[in-house]
Each structure stands twice: as structure tokens, then as C-alpha cells.
Amino acid sequence: MLKGTFPTDKFKALTTPFYYYNIELLKETLNTVKTEAGKYGYHVHYAVKANANPRILSTIAEYGLGADCVSGGEIQAALDAGFPAGKIVYAGVGKADWEINLGLDNNIFCFNVESAAELEVLNSLAAAKDKVASIALRINPEVDAHTHAKITTGMKENKFGINLSQLNSVLDTLKGMKNVKLIGIHSHIGSQITDMSSFRNLVIRFNEILDELEAQGITLENINFGGGLGIDYYHPNHLSIPAFDNYFAAINKLLKVRPRQQVHFEPGRSVVAQCGSLISRVLYVKEGETKKFCILDAGFTELIRPAMYDAYHRIENISSDEAVELYDVVGPICESSDVFGKEVELNKAHRGDLIALRSAGAYGEVMASQYNCRKLPKAYYSDTL
Ligand code: LLP
């Protein structure tokens, strides 16, 4: 069974569970993103929500990416990690006043505004500071992302963005506002998108919207396609860097860019997922009547994706090379949804074996909880272990 390369000997002394980050892979991924986006002059703002670990954030900031934030806490984390405020974009349907003020005080690049109601508040908070906030309207483009229902965002029934039918009335409202300046449009249709036709449909929709706006005499300097590029959870060892080349090329092929227009992206998962693993120990191998359970010391408190989205994560026994057997791999949390995988092929497992749950770099550590009074786990990095 092909497995990832891990310093298993060094792991033996560490308290499990913990997150392990392959910093070399992260850097290789960042180089690829920069090169591929750079071919077209595209701007990349890393979506902090995917992983806000300070070490990961500062590495990404060193590569010159901007940051996409969805809360005041994320804006602060991005600033602390060294992202320049001039490269921070801020989205979210429910921005609190203190969060908007934090963005205004730091003169962030752009607020991605999601409703007319938010626009009013932003305009008055900016007025109180005698500032003009740069904004992009987050459009709900009604483009199906063909992904899990819980991570689809660009359809009419989702809470995100301004519906196309309401765009003109929002533009009218904007005309009377002195403390906000429209500089762009934005969309994010969903996450873990592997079907490129969804992105193509988004570009086609953007071309239509930009044509319509131009007919009204409005040319926007910035177009932001959000994030969403999926990764290969089944083959983290072969396909550890997503096909950024195909992704940016597909957008570039269809997009009608106007002179002086800048194109932006907000990838999260595709940048950090494959460099992270959750490392856990086998507590017990329990022989059931019809199946065997491999019971780990990590549960959905450390990696919630399988329980929450029925997500697949590859599971490897990095301590054993014995013949493969089938196990239901489960955690210790007192809920039946605390299952990482059913009928998983694992090299024969014993108490104390180390188990790697792969592709956990995105939406792993950042979604950890202390349910059952568990401690939040530590993180270790390949270059400092
Ligand atoms: N921009 C906006 C406005 C977003 O809402 C998101 C993700 C992104 C960018 C980054 O998307 P990415 O490139 O990572 O797909 N917890 C879920 C994923 C939730 C994504 C929410 N928004 C999961 O574990 O699958």
C-alpha cells in the first residue's frame, strides 16, 4: 500500500493526536500557484478560513499572496502573520460593526459586500471615520458548483451574495453614498469543485454581468472569482499539487478582461489541504461480530469533515507493513457519527500504531473543537521537528 513519507521514528515520542505539516510541500504548492497565476497577472488571496495556523499563514504571506478573510479575527490573524492590509479582502454575510471598523482602521483593500443592508451600515461607519471604503459587490451568480450541498454557495436559495435581480437596485442605492466606492464584483460559488464546467459557467455569467454594467457606463477595475478549486482526496501521494495550470487557463480562455481590469482569486483548500495530516494512535482494535473496529485517539473533534460532510480522507497505518485488513476506523467521541471511514483497507493494526489521516491541512485544525472536554491538539512542522 503506497503511503506518504513521514518521520515515523520522530513521531513516536510525541503525544497524539497532532497535526503534521509538510512545509516543503506547502512551499512547492505556493510556488506553483504563484507561477501559474503569474502567467496571466492574476492576484491570489489565500482564504484564511482553510487554515489559520500562524506558522502556515506566515509562510503563505512570505510568498506574497494576499488574504481573504471572513471575520475580524481572520483579519487580525492575517495582519499578525504579515499579510499587507492592502492585499486583504473581507467577505461574509454577517459582518459585525467592530469587524467592519477593524477593516476600516487598517485600510484593507476591499470589502466584499453581501447585501443592501450591509452597504448602509458600512457607509455610515466609514462616514463616522471620514473614510471611503473600497467595495466589491458579492453577486449570487446562480451557477451550480456540483459539489456537496453543505458547501454550495452560489445558488438562489443560499444566504450568500446579492441576487442578480437585485443588482440594479443596489447600484442605485450606491449612487447616493459618499463613503463607499465600488471597485469590483465578487463571487464564490462553492468549495471542493472538481468539475471545471462550473468555473466556466461562472466566467460566462461574469462576462454577461460586466457587459451589462458597461452598457450602464460602469467599468469595474476588479473581478474576483472566489475560491473553490477541489483537491484529490483519493490520491494525496500522486496528486499532491492541484492542477492550478488547468484552472487558471480555463478562466483565462473565456474571460473578457477589459483594459486595466485586475483579476482576483481566493483559494483556500487547494493551497493547504495536501500538506497537512492528522496523526493519531490506535487505542484499541475491537473485534465486533461482523467487523473489526480500529479505535483511534483522534475523533471528529480534530477532523470533523467525515462526520459533517461525509467526506473521504485517505487513512494509512504508518507503523505497519503487515497484510491489509478491513476496519471501520472510528474515534473516541460519544456519538455514532464519530467515524473516519468504513471498511477501510489498513495494514494490520495494533494498539499503539500511528495512523495518518491525509489531506487534513484544509478545514482540519481550524475546525477543531473541545467537545467532550478534549484538549486542542498541537501542530508540528517538517522543517522544525
Ligand atoms: N472565498 C469565500 C468567500 C469562501 O466562502 C470560501 C470558502 C473560500 C473563498 C475558499 O474556498 P476553497 O478554495 O477552500 O474551496 N469547511 C468546508 C469548506 C467550507 C468553505 C467555505 N468557504 C469543508 O471542510 O469542506
Side-chain angles (χ1 to χ4, degrees):
M1 180 180 194
L2 180 66
K3 293 184 226 177
T5 343
F6 293 101
T8 314
D9 279 343
K10 288 185 182 166
F11 284 176
K12 282 184 187 149
L14 304 175
T15 303
T16 46
F18 60 86
Y19 301 101
Y20 174 71
Y21 294 106
N22 180 337
I23 296 294
E24 292 75 29
L25 178 58
L26 173 62
K27 290 183 172 175
E28 226 182 293
T29 309
L30 288 166
N31 266 326
T32 310
V33 177
K34 275 195 79 169
T35 310
E36 297 304 327
K39 285 183 183 164
Y40 314 102
Y42 291 165
H43 303 271
V44 179
H45 307 263
Y46 164 68
V48 172
K49 67 173 74 62
N51 189 318
N53 173 310
R55 176 72 214 282
I56 300 292
L57 284 187
S58 59
T59 306
I60 297 172
E62 277 165 26
Y63 277 72
L65 273 64
D68 159 45
C69 301
V70 288
S71 71
E74 285 191 0
I75 294 176
Q76 196 57 59
L79 292 168
D80 292 347
F83 288 94
K87 286 187 180 178
I88 292 181
V89 294
Y90 174 27
V93 285
K95 301 181 183 78
D97 292 16
W98 74 267
E99 297 178 301
I100 293 175
N101 281 329
L102 183 68
L104 289 170
D105 289 341
N106 286 285
N107 301 316
I108 60 167
F109 169 60
C110 190
F111 289 82
N112 292 334
V113 172
E114 307 225 9
S115 64
E118 180 192 331
L119 204 52
E120 303 277 354
V121 173
L122 177 57
N123 187 53
S124 66
L125 291 175
K129 291 181 184 291
D130 210 10
K131 288 197 169 194
V132 177
S134 295
I135 65 151
L137 295 177
R138 174 168 179 177
I139 311 287
N140 182 342
E142 287 159 37
V143 169
D144 195 341
H146 300 292
T147 181
H148 193 286
K150 283 192 184 156
I151 49 177
T152 290
T153 48
M155 301 295 281
K156 227 185 243 172
E157 63 270 23
N158 298 128
K159 66 180 176 179
F160 300 98
I162 294 163
N163 288 327
L164 284 173
S165 60
Q166 294 165 327
L167 182 57
N168 279 332
S169 89
V170 173
L171 289 171
D172 278 344
T173 316
L174 257 173
K175 282 180 193 144
M177 294 184 169
K178 292 195 172 55
N179 297 85
V180 287
K181 181 177 179 237
L182 180 64
I183 64 160
I185 58 166
H186 169 250
S187 260
H188 168 80
I189 54 171
S191 202
Q192 185 51 18
I193 300 171
T194 47
D195 178 355
M196 281 297 144
S197 68
S198 300
F199 291 120
R200 284 194 202 101
N201 290 338
L202 178 62
V203 177
I204 291 166
R205 185 56 51 83
F206 262 47
N207 284 339
E208 290 165 3
I209 298 170
L210 291 166
D211 281 345
E212 259 179 57
L213 290 176
E214 222 165 41
Q216 296 181 36
I218 305 170
T219 306
L220 297 173
E221 295 145 57
N222 297 284
I223 312 169
N224 185 337
F225 286 108
L229 179 63
I231 63 138
D232 193 327
Y233 281 95
Y234 289 87
H235 304 102
N237 301 313
H238 301 95
L239 299 167
S240 51
I241 300 186
F244 291 107
D245 48 354
N246 290 344
Y247 172 60
F248 291 124
I251 305 263
N252 180 66
K253 194 166 170 205
L254 283 176
L255 181 65
K256 277 202 287 174
V257 186
R258 275 77 176 169
R260 288 191 308 282
Q261 232 163 24
Q262 305 291 318
V263 183
H264 303 256
F265 294 86
E266 304 169 341
R269 184 191 317 266
S270 52
V271 179
V272 291
Q274 299 292 31
C275 76
S277 296
L278 172 63
I279 308 294
S280 172
R281 267 195 181 85
V282 176
L283 288 176
Y284 304 102
V285 175
K286 175 171 163 177
E287 305 273 351
E289 251 175 51
T290 53
K291 46 171 75 184
K292 266 196 282 227
F293 295 95
C294 180
I295 305 174
L296 306 184
D297 62 3
F300 70 51
T301 37
E302 289 75 39
L303 182 64
I304 202 170
R305 303 194 67 259
M308 194 158 175
Y309 314 110
D310 297 317
Y312 172 86
H313 282 259
R314 188 178 158 88
I315 306 174
E316 296 168 359
N317 184 345
I318 58 172
S319 296
S320 162
D321 279 324
E322 289 174 58
V324 163
E325 298 189 353
L326 286 183
Y327 300 89
D328 279 14
V329 180
V330 303
I333 311 297
C334 295
E335 296 222 14
S336 19
S337 62
D338 190 28
V339 175
F340 287 123
K342 290 195 170 163
E343 314 254 301
V344 177
E345 286 187 4
L346 275 188
N347 294 102
K348 188 177 170 63
H350 314 268
R351 175 172 167 82
D353 282 357
L354 289 163
I355 303 290
L357 292 124
R358 306 294 307 278
S359 317
Y363 308 110
E365 183 173 3
V366 89
M367 293 180 83
S369 79
Q370 291 188 290
Y371 185 44
N372 284 188
C373 287
R374 287 165 65 80
K375 285 202 175 80
L376 289 175
K378 282 192 177 173
Y380 296 96
Y381 312 91
S382 57
D383 58 345
T384 52
L385 195 64

